[in-house]
Amino acid sequence: MGLAAESQFHVLAVDDSLIDRMLIERLLKTSSFHVTAVDSGSKALKFLGLVEEEQRNEEPSFVAQKTHNQDVDVNLIITDYCMPEMTGYDLLRKIKESKSLKDIPVVIMSSENVPSRINRCLEEGAEEFFLKPVQQSDVNKLRPHLLKSKVKEVGEEDQLINLSRKDINEILA
Amino acid sequence: MDVGQMQRQWLDYTRSLFIEGFLDNQFLQLQQLQDENNPEFVVEVVSLFFDDSERLLKDLNFALDQQGVDFKKVDAHVHQLKGSSSSIGAQRVKNACIAFRNFCEEQNVEACLRCLQQVKQEYCLVKNKLETLFRLEQQIVAAGGSIPMMELGF
């Protein structure tokens, strides 16, 4: 295919169930997303270039936050809610607390329809909450969230171009 | 039997699994995710389900066999089984798990043991049915045919 790698959205999927990981990966790939699937919140954070606080406490000489890995460009994170050690909610919070990651849209999945849980996640900044089993129609809802963040990036580039035009005008004046 | 007859047999068998409630719409979703690039997708996911379920049923046996039953653990296992059965569309197994979780909450050992039996039964039934279905599929493919697409609204 002649498409450049950057034009394909990269989704990070997090789920401790192997079956559900297979499913979400297939669903996302059918929608032409590039997918990385991991089985825990801590693995997700590692992939995103964020070192856990617990590690920081154990070894105080380590830098708490690795510099953002420029090669890892994740456009959306979709995570299961019920996971051992770190829930999807915990992961969501850590992402929103991180300067480098907070603008990445996060979607939560859960097999249980608990309104208080759903509200908590949405209030914490989750874009969507999907009930499992996740359907193709749910995955189709993801594109607008991804395009929104793409538009943001493009907007910033326009500002840079405008700045240099301004500079040139000043020079020519 | 020619390919056409085998395909009709496959369709009838699949329909019966839906009518009898063994499978629900989620199974159709699985089939729709299968294509020429992923021709074994359904078999792969269902095989994982079989492995997963057998492990969980063993764990449940063990947990309920203890002197002091840890209902949190039992519930966690059932929750997992409910999740995976729901993900592949094994409706009757899923429903049996839902009932099971209610008794976990009540911390009723006798009722939980009965539920475990029920879940085991439903699991064995759907396993047999799916294995039969996959055998039919293999026969169709071996004879040079393709698996029909299941239509909703039968």
Side-chain angles (χ1 to χ4, degrees), chain B residues 28-140:
Chain B
L28 286 180
Q29 300 292 319
L30 284 190
Q31 289 180 320
Q32 280 169 14
L33 288 173
Q34 185 163 286
D35 58 23
E36 321 83 58
N37 297 320
N38 298 270
E40 296 294 302
F41 182 70
V42 180
V43 172
E44 279 168 12
V45 179
V46 172
S47 302
L48 275 177
F49 169 69
F50 290 160
D51 293 339
D52 217 36
S53 303
E54 266 146 53
R55 177 184 55 87
L56 287 166
L57 289 170
K58 264 202 196 105
D59 291 343
L60 279 165
N61 251 338
F62 183 78
L64 285 169
D65 206 23
Q66 301 306 300
Q67 274 291 356
V69 174
D70 183 349
F71 283 100
K72 255 194 167 173
K73 221 175 221 167
V74 175
D75 185 70
H77 292 320
V78 182
H79 172 77
Q80 255 195 284
L81 187 53
K82 181 190 138 224
S84 53
S85 55
S86 164
S87 290
I88 70 142
Q91 190 176 246
R92 279 159 64 149
V93 176
K94 179 188 77 174
N95 289 339
C97 288
I98 291 172
F100 196 155
R101 289 192 86 190
N102 291 332
F103 289 114
C104 284
E105 236 182 287
E106 288 179 24
Q107 308 217 341
N108 185 336
V109 180
E110 285 309 309
C112 282
L113 284 166
R114 278 197 299 274
C115 284
L116 179 56
Q117 282 314 108
Q118 187 67 23
V119 172
K120 270 189 195 161
Q121 206 170 295
E122 291 300 343
Y123 168 71
C124 285
L125 282 169
V126 82
K127 181 166 193 259
N128 280 335
K129 303 278 178 184
L130 287 169
E131 283 175 338
T132 302
L133 189 69
F134 293 150
R135 261 197 307 276
L136 282 172
E137 285 179 10
Q138 280 169 348
Q139 284 167 4
I140 292 171

Side-chain angles (χ1 to χ4, degrees), chain A residues 26-155:
Chain A
R26 195 77 267 282
L27 274 169
L28 290 166
K29 282 186 174 163
T30 311
S31 297
S32 303
F33 295 122
H34 172 53
V35 184
T36 300
V38 297
D39 66 7
S40 72
S42 46
K43 287 207 185 125
L45 290 173
K46 222 182 230 172
F47 183 80
L48 293 163
L50 204 63
V51 175
E52 278 191 68
E53 281 160 25
E54 289 79 59
Q55 280 176 260
R56 196 220 307 182
N57 291 333
E58 275 179 75
E59 286 160 312
S61 58
F62 266 79
V63 174
Q65 200 167 308
K66 280 199 205 144
T67 45
H68 184 57
N69 186 353
Q70 292 302 315
D71 288 60
V72 176
D73 200 12
V74 171
N75 304 115
L76 183 133
I77 298 160
I78 181 162
T79 176
D80 185 27
Y81 183 93
C82 276
M83 294 188 292
E85 284 162 33
M86 193 189 299
T87 67
Y89 179 76
D90 296 330
L91 178 60
L92 168 66
R93 285 193 68 189
K94 286 196 203 257
I95 290 165
K96 292 303 170 189
E97 282 166 12
S98 152
K99 255 189 225 141
S100 55
L101 303 175
K102 66 178 173 61
D103 289 329
I104 304 178
V106 181
V107 171
I108 311 271
M109 309 178 274
S110 177
S111 56
E112 289 168 324
N113 191 349
V114 182
S116 56
R117 176 185 294 184
I118 298 173
N119 287 329
R120 225 165 105 227
C121 289
L122 294 174
E123 275 166 27
E124 195 61 38
E127 305 287 337
E128 298 265 3
F129 191 102
F130 294 156
L131 280 175
K132 280 180 164 185
V134 177
Q135 311 281 289
Q136 192 64 60
S137 52
D138 294 316
V139 173
N140 294 342
K141 288 188 201 160
L142 295 176
R143 214 158 266 276
H145 296 295
L146 290 159
L147 289 170
K148 207 170 45 182
S149 47
K150 271 286 171 186
V151 168
K152 243 188 177 171
E153 282 171 36
V154 172

